[in-house]
Structures are given as structure tokens and as C-alpha cells.
Amino acid sequence: MIRILFFLAVVFALGLGFAWLADRPGEMVITFNGYQYQVTLMVAAVAVVAVVAAVMIFWWLIKSLWNSPYTISRYFRVRRRDRGYQALSTGMIAAGAGDGALARKKTKEAAKLIRSDQEPLIHLLEAQASLLEGDHEGAREKFESMLDDPEMRLLGLRGLYLEAERLGDRNAARHYAGRAAVMAPQLAWAAESTLEELTGRGDWDGALKLVEAQKSTRQIERDAANRRRAVLLTAKAQALTDSDPNAARTAALEANKLQPDFAPAAVAAASLLFKQSDVRKGSKILETAWRAEPHPEIAGLYTHARPGDAVLDRLNRAKKLQEMKKNHAESSLTVARAALDAQDFAMARREAEAAIRMDRRESAYLLLADIEEAETGDQGKVRQLLSKAVRAPRDPAWVADGVISERWAPVSPVTGKLDAFEWRAPMERLGQLIDSHEDLPEAVVPAISAPVVSVKEKPADVIDHPAVSAGKTTAAAGAVAESDEDQVTPVTAAAFAAVPADSEAVEPAEELARLPDDPGVDPDEEAEKPRRFRLF
């Protein structure tokens, strides 16, 4: 568009120039070789313009003839390159679709039409074709050859990393990922694998630097970076607790500042502060985390902040936690445990039952069993509560990749993933799924009348015994009036006493099996000291 406007402007300027000359008549005289030529000014201007145009055309023709060999070769070279790129494009599409034969065919065609040193994608297509054909050794050789080319080095490292992952060689995969992360920290796959390697060997400072690099390159969001830093700093604090308490305290406080509602960071920071006699600051950290989400580790550390406190002081601290988070099962359980230690069984029972109403779980029934054993020692009720605990939903725990841990860990023991542990209830047991309605009120079942068998149709058989002949008539009448096909006449103590000593012995009936929730008490166990039942 600009060129057209420029051309129109030139034509317009020429027209104005010729119009200006036409309005101003004049003559031009040229003397050449003894001859004198006289023309008007307009004719002279037209002649000059014609000569200039002729010179330009002549120069263009000479230049075209001179450059014609290069032009012809360039035409064929461009045509060849276009065919090569078309083959390369078709081969890449075939490789993405999984057509190994077509990908290999187009690879050979593209290699003939385009030089591989001019187009690195030919190496990638050749490696992809080898992978589709199952030639992993050839693909690895091709990826290794890419490491010599600075433009293809990251691509080669990526291919070698994937091959190492396929073979299950984690060390080799992390080696290639580490090299790629040094060259390009913005690569997500390299950074994640390197982060797993650093956390796996406990290099928390190196992991923190890598997370900071990810944050600076905007590879991860700010909130995600803060979460990762909090996890890494908490792990660092746990590792330095015994060797360097001051550095551990600094790391734990920074982790708690980044994520105040992160329970492991709050527990780590508060425990280090308590060891340095800073109870006030540690208690505030635990209170903030408790308001965000109650956790049993927070409650246990908060109530035992001062090891020398009396049981009533710990009970008061538990009540303070309950005031911060009312109508929560964990608050009630905390008060119930503290009340049990203080021998306030009424309060302990009331809070444990309240916790069951809010959130029915295993630890609440175990706590009730402890209370029942400490207060009454009724083993029957204790066994009943233990039976309910077995069938109750499980308590929340630290779970990662199917592994249940009593304590939080920064990485998964299965996959090595950072921040994999979650505080949640593990998978339910089969018994709980079957017997989950045990504590529900029993529904009223309508009674079904059994058919009455007529005495005339099937009279009852009465066994005559000389020792009980006196009550023969009364017993027969009672049997006829009350029995049917499925009813058994009870045997009284008088009947057993009246049996003669020389009568034939009868095999006793098979003893009824005991109920599964009442297996009985071993006399030897009754003499032992009662013990309390705990979840862990």
C-alpha cells in the first residue's frame, strides 16, 4: 500500500513539473560537432526523461542477464527447500500420530532435500521415528549427538531424560534434568526433577534457591512458591533442631510467616520457642494455627507448653483452645483428654460424647474406653466401646501416595514428591462400611403372627417318666397349649433333680458361640493392672 502511494506521488510530481514547464515557454540551444540544435524547453525535458528511462531499462536487462545463472539456481534451490519442508512437516505430523513407517519415509525424503546442519528438526524427526519403531538405542544415540549442538542441546537432554525415566534409572534422569536446569531454569520438567533430587538428599538450601529461581522466572505462582518455601523451611528446621537450634528457629519462624495456617511449621516454630523459654510467642503461633484449622499436634504442644504445669493448668489451657474454636470435635477431644488426666471423669465423658456427636471417629471411642476403665473399671462397657472404635471411621492422619505416617514429612516416601502429605482420613476399612449403622437407633419391626397348629392335626408327644408321673397331666396340657413345630419346652431344675442316677447319659448340646463383641475375660487378665487404650 505504501509503495502504491509513493508511485502515485511521483507521478503527480512529474505532472506538476511538466505543467510548470508548459506555462513558461523557452528555448534550449545545443551546439555539437559544428551543428547547432534548438528545441523548446518542454521537448528537452521529455528527451531527458526518455534518455534516463532508456538507460535504466538497459541497465536492468544487462543485470538480469548477468545474474540469470544465480537466479535460476536460486529458483530450483527454493523449490527444493519447499519440498523438503513439506516432507518435514508431514513427517512431524506422522510422528505425532504414531505412524512410524510414514515418519521414517519422510525423514529420509527431508534429509535428501534439506541439509541436516541447516535444519535441526531433521534430527528430532529421526529420533522420533526410531522411538516409534522401537529402536531406543538408536534414539539415544541421536539424542546424544544433539548435545554437541548448542541449539539442540536442551532437546537432547529432554530426550535422554525421558529415556532414563522409561528405563527406571532415576539417577540418570535427575542428572540430565540437573544439566538442563542449570542452562534453562524456566524448564518445568527439569526444575521439578532437580527439586526432587535436592529434597531427596536433604539439600534444603539448594532446593530453596531453585524455588526462588522458579519464582523469579514466573514459572510458578507466588502463592505456590510461598507454599513450597514454607515446606522446605520446615524441613530444614526439623533437620537442624539438634545441631543448630538458632538456625532451626529462624527457618521455622520464616516458614510460619509464609504459611501461618500450616500446622507442621507452627508446631516446629512453637516447639523451638518453648525450648528457649519463649512461651508467650510460641503460644501465639499455635493459637493462630488453631484458629485456622484445629490439629491434635497443636493441641498437644499447647497444653504441654510448660512441662511443670499441673493437670488443672493443662485443663484450663485446653478450655482456652476450645473457646477459640467452638463446636469442633478436636476441641472437645482436647478438653476430654485434659479432663481425664485431671480425674474429672464427668467433664471428660461429656466432651468425648460431644465429639462423637459432631464427628464420629475411632479416637473418640478409644478415649471413652479409657474414661470408662479409669472411672468404673467395667470391662464389659470397655469392650463394647472398643468394638465401636473398630467399626468407627478412622481418624485423620498424614497420608501420601497410600502411605499413612504418624508424623509429617516434606516428601513422599514412594514418589519423592515435595509436599505430598495431606491431613485427611485414610481409606475406610471394610468392617466400617458393613457395620457403619450399628450406632443408629433400631427401627421398629412389625410383628408377624405365626400360624397356630391345631392340636387335632398334630398332637404333641409326651414322654412318660416314672419320676415325674405326678406332674404328667399338667406338663402334657402345657405342651399342647403352648408348643408348635419350632418351639422347644424348657427343662427345669426339678426335672434334672428327678432323673435317676442309673439313667443313660445324653450327649450335651453344642455350646452357643459367644457374641463377637463380648469374648469374655480371662481370669488371669483380671488380676493384671488395668491399662488405657490409645490410638497410637
Side-chain angles (χ1 to χ4, degrees):
M1 184 67 183
I2 296 177
R3 295 177 63 180
I4 294 176
L5 293 177
F6 179 76
F7 175 76
L8 294 176
V10 171
V11 172
F12 181 73
L14 290 175
L16 288 178
F18 280 108
W20 182 78
L21 289 176
D23 293 338
R24 289 166 176 77
E27 293 181 353
M28 177 179 291
V29 178
I30 300 176
T31 303
F32 178 74
N33 199 18
Y35 293 94
Q36 186 177 13
Y37 302 94
Q38 182 177 0
V39 293
T40 62
L41 187 60
M42 177 63 68
V43 174
V46 173
V48 170
V49 171
V51 170
V52 171
V55 170
M56 292 179 62
I57 293 174
F58 179 76
W59 176 252
W60 176 77
L61 290 174
I62 296 298
K63 185 179 180 181
S64 299
L65 292 175
W66 182 265
N67 294 330
S68 59
Y70 172 76
T71 303
I72 295 173
S73 63
R74 182 175 178 272
Y75 168 77
F76 286 107
R77 185 171 63 252
V78 170
R79 184 168 177 269
R80 182 185 182 89
R81 185 189 62 183
D82 291 342
R83 289 172 54 198
Y85 277 107
Q86 180 64 37
L88 181 62
S89 175
T90 306
M92 295 296 293
I93 295 174
D99 190 350
L102 182 59
R104 174 62 66 184
K105 177 182 177 182
K106 293 300 179 180
T107 301
K108 296 178 180 179
E109 183 178 348
K112 292 179 181 179
L113 298 174
I114 308 175
R115 291 192 304 175
S116 58
D117 57 342
Q118 294 179 348
E119 183 50 64
L121 286 179
I122 296 179
H123 297 292
L124 175 60
L125 180 58
E126 187 174 356
Q128 293 293 330
S130 299
L131 290 176
L132 291 175
E133 293 172 351
D135 185 10
H136 295 279
E137 186 65 28
R140 284 194 297 271
E141 293 178 358
K142 182 58 64 175
F143 286 130
E144 289 175 356
S145 65
M146 296 180 187
L147 300 181
D148 300 331
D149 186 358
E151 188 178 2
M152 299 288 292
R153 187 169 296 149
L154 291 176
L155 180 59
L157 291 173
R158 170 69 171 174
L160 293 174
Y161 168 79
L162 293 178
E163 282 298 296
E165 286 283 342
R166 183 186 63 83
L167 295 175
D169 191 349
R170 298 288 297 172
N171 294 329
R174 289 174 177 176
H175 168 72
Y176 295 127
R179 291 182 59 183
V182 172
M183 297 174 56
Q186 71 276 6
L187 296 177
W189 63 271
E192 291 298 327
S193 181
T194 306
L195 185 63
E196 291 182 5
E197 180 187 5
L198 294 174
T199 55
R201 66 170 184 253
D203 187 0
W204 309 116
D205 292 330
L208 287 169
K209 292 180 181 179
L210 182 57
V211 171
E212 192 64 29
Q214 288 180 315
K215 181 181 177 181
S216 61
T217 56
R218 299 183 181 275
Q219 182 180 342
I220 57 177
E221 298 294 334
R222 179 180 179 182
D223 295 339
N226 291 338
R227 173 72 181 190
R228 288 189 173 185
R229 285 184 56 83
V231 172
L232 294 172
L233 288 170
T234 304
K236 180 180 178 181
Q238 292 179 351
L240 298 177
T241 299
D242 298 329
S243 59
D244 193 351
N246 292 328
R249 173 183 174 180
T250 303
L253 290 176
E254 185 179 354
N256 180 253
K257 184 178 180 181
L258 291 172
Q259 294 286 320
D261 57 344
F262 187 41
V267 170
S271 62
L272 290 169
L273 290 172
F274 290 160
K275 289 180 180 180
Q276 298 177 0
S277 302
D278 194 351
V279 180
R280 181 180 179 183
K281 187 174 181 180
S283 299
K284 287 184 177 180
I285 291 176
L286 292 178
E287 290 172 0
T288 303
W290 180 267
R291 290 190 185 96
E293 182 62 33
H295 197 278
E297 294 183 11
I298 297 176
L301 184 60
Y302 186 83
T303 54
H304 295 81
R306 296 184 179 89
D309 285 351
V311 290
L312 292 179
D313 295 333
R314 293 200 295 267
L315 178 59
N316 292 332
R317 293 177 70 84
K319 290 181 180 179
K320 185 177 180 181
L321 284 180
Q322 189 180 33
E323 289 296 325
M324 297 177 189
K325 199 72 173 180
K326 296 182 179 180
N327 298 326
H328 197 279
E330 202 61 51
S331 300
S332 298
L333 289 175
T334 302
V335 175
R337 294 188 186 97
L340 176 59
D341 294 337
Q343 302 296 313
D344 190 348
F345 301 116
M347 179 183 294
R349 187 183 298 275
R350 181 174 63 253
E351 294 297 335
E353 292 175 351
I356 291 177
R357 288 193 296 270
M358 287 183 286
D359 185 8
R360 179 173 169 267
R361 61 173 68 173
E362 184 179 17
S363 61
Y365 286 109
L366 293 176
L367 182 59
L368 273 179
D370 288 342
I371 297 170
E372 190 68 38
E373 184 180 20
E375 183 180 9
T376 64
D378 189 345
Q379 296 299 319
K381 291 185 179 180
V382 170
R383 287 193 297 272
Q384 183 182 10
L385 292 171
L386 292 179
S387 176
K388 292 182 179 180
V390 172
R391 295 174 174 82
R394 303 180 68 177
D395 288 76
W398 292 111
V399 182
D401 299 322
V403 177
I404 303 175
S405 175
E406 296 182 6
R407 296 185 178 276
W408 175 84
V411 296
S412 169
V414 179
T415 61
K417 181 182 178 182
L418 181 67
D419 194 20
F421 276 95
E422 299 177 354
W423 182 255
R424 60 180 178 85
M427 185 179 297
E428 297 291 351
R429 292 174 297 225
L430 184 59
Q432 192 275 331
L433 295 175
I434 296 175
D435 303 327
S436 59
H437 302 288
E438 178 183 339
D439 295 338
L440 298 178
E442 296 182 358
V444 179
V445 181
I448 301 175
S449 301
V452 180
V453 181
S454 176
V455 178
K456 295 181 179 180
E457 296 177 359
K458 188 175 182 181
D461 296 333
V462 180
I463 302 175
D464 191 8
H465 197 280
V468 292
S469 58
K472 179 178 180 181
T473 306
T474 306
V480 172
E482 298 177 0
S483 65
D484 56 11
E485 289 183 340
D486 300 328
Q487 188 172 2
V488 179
T489 304
V491 182
T492 61
F496 274 109
V499 177
D502 57 351
S503 60
E504 185 179 355
V506 181
E507 293 293 335
E510 184 179 358
E511 184 181 356
L512 295 177
R514 293 180 178 177
L515 295 178
D517 60 344
D518 189 11
V521 180
D522 192 351
D524 297 333
E525 295 180 357
E526 291 181 348
E528 296 179 358
K529 183 179 178 179
R531 59 177 182 175
R532 295 181 179 178
F533 296 91
R534 297 295 182 186
L535 180 57
F536 296 108

